Amino acid sequence: MGSIIGDSPIIIPTHCKAGVVVNEGPDFHVEVQMVPVPEPGPDDVLIKLNYTGLCSSDIHMMQGDLGVPPMSTFGVRSPGHEGAGVVVKVGANVTTFKVGDRAGIKPIMDTCGSCGHCWDDKETYCKKATHTGLMVAGTYQQYLVSPARYASPIPDGVSDEVAAPVMCSASTIYRSLIESNLRAGAWVVFPGGGGGVGIQGVQLARAMGMRPIVVDTGDSKRRLSMEMGAEAFVDFKEVADPTKAIIEIADGVGAHGVFVTAPAAYKTAVSFTGDRIGSVVMCIGLPPIGSMILGDDPCAFVFKNLTIKGTLVGSRRDVAMTLDFARRGMLKHVSEVYPVNRMPEAVEKLRKGQVAGRIVVNFNWEE
């Protein structure tokens, strides 16, 4: 893993900057405030984050519309789960990290480590998992404590700006690509593929030999999608029948796989598979709970060997594998960078769906 060790001693402040949710619920907003810097326990590391990614799940957490207890239930005021930075203090029992090592924080802060899910690479489904930005302070806060066993080492050759979104969005779509069991040469559709999760999926799918098609709208997302490896871009506002267009691109048959990162696309996701036998629709994006139903006539599942499957976030192994794609230049920077004092503005931009690629916030930059 990479290290950053200077000649000067590391000075840890008593307080740090954090994006704090105010008026939790449908009318929330974010303010940048000073909050206490936490103290690591004997098995923990204290990480000073240089960057945090902003994820649509953060909006759900602040709005409280996923059917889980709100952040305030746990006394949490800062969401976020995509952090990259440097270890500035280690607990007495920690041997896997030292001060100066680079490390990342993920959507899961810790798990029990002893259940069947944890033993079977399904750790993100652990019933005792601690969810970052919900149950404990998230990466909108610059200094965070993480159990050393669950922090992710960041390798040399991957900047923090790139590594932060890998902690969630890139490793999440990587996990979905792996669980789809699709092979090289498969046509894969990314509805909303111009967004943060989708555009990283386009790059990873291309690196795995698949043939990505992006469904989105706008010139900026078209350019980004094609630059990042999409074979085709279908603008749903310009094309009269996007489903027909996709089927024609995909050999006149239909997609082998559809990776739904934009919840609004669940309504048409199955149609993109056309007459393809053995196709799979992967559910990734989270709509507000109870707002949408996905399915089809059972005969379609039988006669088309159709699969609909959901995946959650990436495991520690998934994060390590995705970081390696980035290290090898197969997963590139697709982020718009905001200074920390403009974090509230960045959150609002994400909330309104105005982001091409990903937004990251630089804690070391103010305007």
Side-chain angles (χ1 to χ4, degrees):
M1 77 185 79
S3 298
I4 301 173
I5 303 176
D7 295 330
S8 302
I10 292 176
I11 299 174
I12 301 172
T14 59
H15 290 73
C16 66
K17 294 183 179 68
V20 172
V21 61
V22 177
N23 195 30
E24 180 183 32
D27 299 319
F28 81 87
H29 69 274
V30 170
E31 295 179 0
V32 177
Q33 300 180 7
M34 298 299 291
V35 300
V37 171
E39 181 69 21
D43 300 310
D44 300 330
V45 292
L46 177 64
I47 301 173
K48 177 187 177 184
L49 298 180
N50 293 316
Y51 286 88
T52 180
L54 304 189
C55 179
S56 294
S57 296
D58 304 338
I59 305 298
H60 287 302
M61 294 302 176
M62 291 184 277
Q63 290 182 161
D65 61 8
L66 289 180
V68 298
M71 298 163 54
S72 56
T73 303
F74 306 96
V76 172
R77 303 170 65 211
S78 294
H81 50 257
E82 293 185 342
V86 60
V87 174
V88 294
K89 192 172 184 179
V90 299
N93 299 334
V94 175
T95 59
T96 52
F97 284 95
K98 63 182 182 298
V99 171
D101 284 347
R102 299 173 65 213
I105 289 178
K106 304 176 292 300
I108 304 296
M109 184 67 80
D110 202 3
T111 66
C112 76
S114 60
C115 68
H117 298 308
C118 290
W119 292 339
D120 192 31
D121 195 36
K122 296 280 189 181
E123 66 198 55
T124 57
Y125 296 91
C126 174
K127 298 297 185 184
K128 296 182 179 179
T130 302
H131 295 267
T132 313
L134 173 65
M135 297 175 172
V136 291
T139 60
Y140 285 20
Q141 178 174 312
Q142 186 174 22
Y143 283 79
L144 287 179
V145 164
S146 171
R149 64 176 289 273
Y150 217 81
S152 286
I154 299 174
D156 291 334
V158 182
S159 69
D160 287 340
E161 187 176 328
V162 172
V166 169
M167 296 300 137
C168 175
S169 60
S171 55
T172 292
I173 197 69
Y174 172 80
R175 180 65 180 225
S176 193
L177 285 161
I178 292 298
E179 289 208 23
S180 73
N181 293 315
L182 294 173
R183 302 175 181 174
W187 286 105
V188 288
V189 178
F190 292 90
V197 181
I199 202 63
Q200 295 186 88
V202 168
Q203 295 181 73
L204 290 167
R206 185 63 177 262
M208 295 175 184
M210 301 177 197
R211 308 182 69 180
I213 303 169
V214 171
V215 184
D216 216 314
T217 187
D219 290 339
S220 63
K221 292 186 177 181
R222 179 189 297 274
R223 284 193 301 271
L224 181 63
S225 298
M226 300 307 289
E227 288 171 4
M228 292 298 125
E231 287 202 23
F233 182 94
V234 176
D235 192 318
F236 63 80
K237 289 187 178 180
E238 294 182 357
V239 176
D241 189 342
T243 295
K244 181 180 178 182
I246 289 166
I247 291 171
E248 288 177 354
I249 294 166
D251 306 324
V253 181
H256 295 84
V258 182
F259 294 82
V260 186
T261 58
Y266 282 120
K267 298 173 184 177
T268 54
V270 174
S271 71
F272 298 153
T273 64
D275 294 322
R276 184 73 68 181
I277 303 301
S279 57
V280 58
V281 175
M282 301 298 294
C283 304
I284 305 153
L286 292 170
I289 191 167
S291 66
M292 199 165 292
I293 300 295
L294 174 64
D296 207 335
D297 188 315
C299 292
F301 289 88
V302 175
F303 292 127
K304 290 174 55 180
N305 190 213
L306 173 67
T307 300
I308 295 179
K309 184 177 183 179
T311 53
L312 199 54
V313 295
S315 65
R316 284 174 292 181
R317 180 179 182 276
D318 296 325
V319 171
M321 294 297 291
T322 310
L323 283 168
D324 194 57
F325 275 99
R327 184 187 63 81
R328 291 181 285 151
M330 297 178 179
L331 185 63
K332 300 178 181 178
H333 165 64
V334 289
S335 299
E336 184 177 356
V337 184
Y338 274 74
V340 64
N341 60 300
R342 291 177 57 198
M343 183 187 287
E345 176 188 336
V347 169
E348 283 305 305
K349 189 171 183 177
L350 175 65
R351 188 182 199 177
K352 294 174 182 176
Q354 298 171 342
V355 182
R358 203 69 163 175
I359 286 182
V360 295
V361 170
N362 183 343
F363 280 107
N364 303 314
W365 174 32
E366 286 195 38
E367 284 186 346

